[in-house]
Amino acid sequence: MSTTSQKHRDFVAEPMGDKPVTALSGIGEVLGKKLEDQGFDKAFVVLGQFLLLRKDGELFTEWLKDTCGANAKQAGSCSQCLKEWCDAFL
């Protein structure tokens, strides 16, 4: 599990609450701003999209790349983060 970032570990360790979109692993200030501009201002809103895509990591990473210009590494990191959060809390 040492391949995940501290940000990733922090996110999946506790309930999501009202965390900003930038709390998601792989989402920094630039991508966060692009997501916010499209209405995805909170982590739970991005989680909603992940769930709408039936927790399909491949579909979600493609959506994230198309929506905010994330690269494959960023999108994969965010997808894995949400998947692990769902496994822990849903």
mmCIF file of all heavy atoms in Angstrom, residues 1 9 16 18-19 25 30 36-37 43-44 58 60-62 66 74-75 77:
data_model
loop_
_atom_site.group_PDB
_atom_site.id
_atom_site.type_symbol
_atom_site.label_atom_id
_atom_site.label_comp_id
_atom_site.label_asym_id
_atom_site.label_seq_id
_atom_site.Cartn_x
_atom_site.Cartn_y
_atom_site.Cartn_z
ATOM 1 N N MET A 1 0.828 -1.195 0.000
ATOM 2 C CA MET A 1 0.000 0.000 0.000
ATOM 3 C C MET A 1 0.865 1.247 0.000
ATOM 4 O O MET A 1 0.360 2.348 -0.065
ATOM 5 C CB MET A 1 -0.917 -0.046 1.228
ATOM 6 C CG MET A 1 -1.805 1.154 1.387
ATOM 7 S SD MET A 1 -3.320 1.091 0.496
ATOM 8 C CE MET A 1 -4.594 0.777 1.547
ATOM 9 N N ARG A 9 -4.283 8.272 1.327
ATOM 10 C CA ARG A 9 -4.504 7.569 2.593
ATOM 11 C C ARG A 9 -5.377 8.392 3.538
ATOM 12 O O ARG A 9 -6.252 7.852 4.214
ATOM 13 C CB ARG A 9 -3.164 7.210 3.246
ATOM 14 C CG ARG A 9 -2.412 6.127 2.464
ATOM 15 C CD ARG A 9 -1.187 5.617 3.191
ATOM 16 N NE ARG A 9 -0.184 6.636 3.412
ATOM 17 C CZ ARG A 9 0.771 6.965 2.540
ATOM 18 N NH1 ARG A 9 0.833 6.385 1.362
ATOM 19 N NH2 ARG A 9 1.662 7.892 2.840
ATOM 20 N N MET A 16 -16.350 11.154 4.126
ATOM 21 C CA MET A 16 -16.097 12.240 3.182
ATOM 22 C C MET A 16 -16.592 13.584 3.682
ATOM 23 O O MET A 16 -15.923 14.604 3.502
ATOM 24 C CB MET A 16 -16.772 11.895 1.852
ATOM 25 C CG MET A 16 -16.343 12.748 0.712
ATOM 26 S SD MET A 16 -17.027 12.177 -0.853
ATOM 27 C CE MET A 16 -16.464 10.506 -0.960
ATOM 28 N N ASP A 18 -17.962 17.086 3.936
ATOM 29 C CA ASP A 18 -18.089 18.210 3.011
ATOM 30 C C ASP A 18 -16.736 18.605 2.421
ATOM 31 O O ASP A 18 -16.488 19.771 2.144
ATOM 32 C CB ASP A 18 -18.702 19.391 3.779
ATOM 33 C CG ASP A 18 -19.540 20.277 2.872
ATOM 34 O OD1 ASP A 18 -20.059 19.766 1.864
ATOM 35 O OD2 ASP A 18 -19.671 21.472 3.187
ATOM 36 N N LYS A 19 -15.856 17.619 2.229
ATOM 37 C CA LYS A 19 -14.504 17.909 1.735
ATOM 38 C C LYS A 19 -14.549 18.530 0.342
ATOM 39 O O LYS A 19 -15.387 18.165 -0.480
ATOM 40 C CB LYS A 19 -13.667 16.634 1.682
ATOM 41 C CG LYS A 19 -13.328 16.088 3.046
ATOM 42 C CD LYS A 19 -12.456 14.854 2.924
ATOM 43 C CE LYS A 19 -12.164 14.296 4.302
ATOM 44 N NZ LYS A 19 -11.381 13.059 4.222
ATOM 45 N N SER A 25 -7.458 12.371 -4.153
ATOM 46 C CA SER A 25 -6.136 12.043 -4.669
ATOM 47 C C SER A 25 -6.114 12.268 -6.182
ATOM 48 O O SER A 25 -7.064 11.923 -6.882
ATOM 49 C CB SER A 25 -5.830 10.568 -4.356
ATOM 50 O OG SER A 25 -4.563 10.219 -4.819
ATOM 51 N N VAL A 30 -5.419 23.135 -10.015
ATOM 52 C CA VAL A 30 -5.816 23.419 -11.405
ATOM 53 C C VAL A 30 -6.995 22.548 -11.826
ATOM 54 O O VAL A 30 -8.013 23.050 -12.317
ATOM 55 C CB VAL A 30 -4.615 23.240 -12.366
ATOM 56 C CG1 VAL A 30 -5.053 23.372 -13.814
ATOM 57 C CG2 VAL A 30 -3.533 24.262 -12.049
ATOM 58 N N GLU A 36 -14.695 22.464 -10.443
ATOM 59 C CA GLU A 36 -15.612 23.411 -9.796
ATOM 60 C C GLU A 36 -16.372 24.221 -10.838
ATOM 61 O O GLU A 36 -17.578 24.468 -10.686
ATOM 62 C CB GLU A 36 -14.841 24.346 -8.876
ATOM 63 C CG GLU A 36 -14.363 23.688 -7.602
ATOM 64 C CD GLU A 36 -13.441 24.578 -6.779
ATOM 65 O OE1 GLU A 36 -13.291 25.772 -7.101
ATOM 66 O OE2 GLU A 36 -12.864 24.057 -5.805
ATOM 67 N N ASP A 37 -15.690 24.641 -11.893
ATOM 68 C CA ASP A 37 -16.331 25.419 -12.955
ATOM 69 C C ASP A 37 -17.451 24.631 -13.635
ATOM 70 O O ASP A 37 -18.361 25.218 -14.215
ATOM 71 C CB ASP A 37 -15.305 25.866 -13.998
ATOM 72 C CG ASP A 37 -14.361 26.946 -13.473
ATOM 73 O OD1 ASP A 37 -14.650 27.529 -12.402
ATOM 74 O OD2 ASP A 37 -13.330 27.193 -14.127
ATOM 75 N N ALA A 43 -16.080 16.842 -3.030
ATOM 76 C CA ALA A 43 -15.689 15.453 -3.294
ATOM 77 C C ALA A 43 -16.918 14.553 -3.444
ATOM 78 O O ALA A 43 -16.928 13.660 -4.288
ATOM 79 C CB ALA A 43 -14.780 14.951 -2.173
ATOM 80 N N PHE A 44 -17.972 14.818 -2.656
ATOM 81 C CA PHE A 44 -19.151 13.959 -2.746
ATOM 82 C C PHE A 44 -19.868 14.092 -4.089
ATOM 83 O O PHE A 44 -20.542 13.154 -4.528
ATOM 84 C CB PHE A 44 -20.115 14.172 -1.564
ATOM 85 C CG PHE A 44 -20.852 15.481 -1.550
ATOM 86 C CD1 PHE A 44 -21.985 15.686 -2.311
ATOM 87 C CD2 PHE A 44 -20.408 16.519 -0.729
ATOM 88 C CE1 PHE A 44 -22.665 16.892 -2.272
ATOM 89 C CE2 PHE A 44 -21.081 17.716 -0.677
ATOM 90 C CZ PHE A 44 -22.213 17.918 -1.456
ATOM 91 N N GLU A 58 -12.548 2.450 -15.366
ATOM 92 C CA GLU A 58 -12.169 2.850 -16.718
ATOM 93 C C GLU A 58 -13.079 3.957 -17.248
ATOM 94 O O GLU A 58 -12.600 4.960 -17.788
ATOM 95 C CB GLU A 58 -12.205 1.634 -17.649
ATOM 96 C CG GLU A 58 -11.575 1.888 -18.998
ATOM 97 C CD GLU A 58 -11.513 0.641 -19.853
ATOM 98 O OE1 GLU A 58 -11.227 -0.446 -19.306
ATOM 99 O OE2 GLU A 58 -11.760 0.761 -21.067
ATOM 100 N N PHE A 60 -14.845 6.005 -15.439
ATOM 101 C CA PHE A 60 -14.631 7.192 -14.620
ATOM 102 C C PHE A 60 -13.363 7.938 -15.033
ATOM 103 O O PHE A 60 -13.369 9.163 -15.141
ATOM 104 C CB PHE A 60 -14.582 6.833 -13.131
ATOM 105 C CG PHE A 60 -14.363 8.025 -12.254
ATOM 106 C CD1 PHE A 60 -15.404 8.895 -11.972
ATOM 107 C CD2 PHE A 60 -13.114 8.299 -11.721
ATOM 108 C CE1 PHE A 60 -15.212 10.017 -11.180
ATOM 109 C CE2 PHE A 60 -12.905 9.413 -10.924
ATOM 110 C CZ PHE A 60 -13.954 10.265 -10.646
ATOM 111 N N THR A 61 -12.283 7.211 -15.272
ATOM 112 C CA THR A 61 -11.043 7.891 -15.667
ATOM 113 C C THR A 61 -11.223 8.601 -17.000
ATOM 114 O O THR A 61 -10.729 9.716 -17.174
ATOM 115 C CB THR A 61 -9.828 6.935 -15.718
ATOM 116 O OG1 THR A 61 -10.104 5.853 -16.589
ATOM 117 C CG2 THR A 61 -9.471 6.401 -14.350
ATOM 118 N N GLU A 62 -11.941 7.981 -17.926
ATOM 119 C CA GLU A 62 -12.209 8.644 -19.211
ATOM 120 C C GLU A 62 -13.061 9.895 -19.001
ATOM 121 O O GLU A 62 -12.817 10.934 -19.611
ATOM 122 C CB GLU A 62 -12.889 7.681 -20.198
ATOM 123 C CG GLU A 62 -11.973 6.595 -20.720
ATOM 124 C CD GLU A 62 -10.715 7.146 -21.372
ATOM 125 O OE1 GLU A 62 -10.821 8.075 -22.201
ATOM 126 O OE2 GLU A 62 -9.621 6.650 -21.036
ATOM 127 N N ASP A 66 -11.940 13.742 -19.860
ATOM 128 C CA ASP A 66 -12.752 14.579 -20.748
ATOM 129 C C ASP A 66 -13.269 15.832 -20.039
ATOM 130 O O ASP A 66 -13.364 16.901 -20.637
ATOM 131 C CB ASP A 66 -13.959 13.788 -21.282
ATOM 132 C CG ASP A 66 -13.560 12.687 -22.248
ATOM 133 O OD1 ASP A 66 -12.413 12.709 -22.746
ATOM 134 O OD2 ASP A 66 -14.397 11.794 -22.486
ATOM 135 N N GLN A 74 -3.363 11.020 -12.995
ATOM 136 C CA GLN A 74 -4.252 11.758 -12.096
ATOM 137 C C GLN A 74 -5.627 11.102 -12.026
ATOM 138 O O GLN A 74 -6.182 10.906 -10.944
ATOM 139 C CB GLN A 74 -4.393 13.205 -12.578
ATOM 140 C CG GLN A 74 -3.121 14.007 -12.464
ATOM 141 C CD GLN A 74 -3.164 15.281 -13.300
ATOM 142 O OE1 GLN A 74 -3.740 15.307 -14.393
ATOM 143 N NE2 GLN A 74 -2.544 16.334 -12.796
ATOM 144 N N ALA A 75 -6.183 10.762 -13.190
ATOM 145 C CA ALA A 75 -7.507 10.154 -13.242
ATOM 146 C C ALA A 75 -7.506 8.789 -12.558
ATOM 147 O O ALA A 75 -8.432 8.447 -11.825
ATOM 148 C CB ALA A 75 -7.974 10.030 -14.693
ATOM 149 N N SER A 77 -5.490 7.791 -10.174
ATOM 150 C CA SER A 77 -5.325 8.014 -8.742
ATOM 151 C C SER A 77 -6.655 8.384 -8.100
ATOM 152 O O SER A 77 -7.024 7.854 -7.038
ATOM 153 C CB SER A 77 -4.289 9.117 -8.511
ATOM 154 O OG SER A 77 -4.152 9.399 -7.154
#
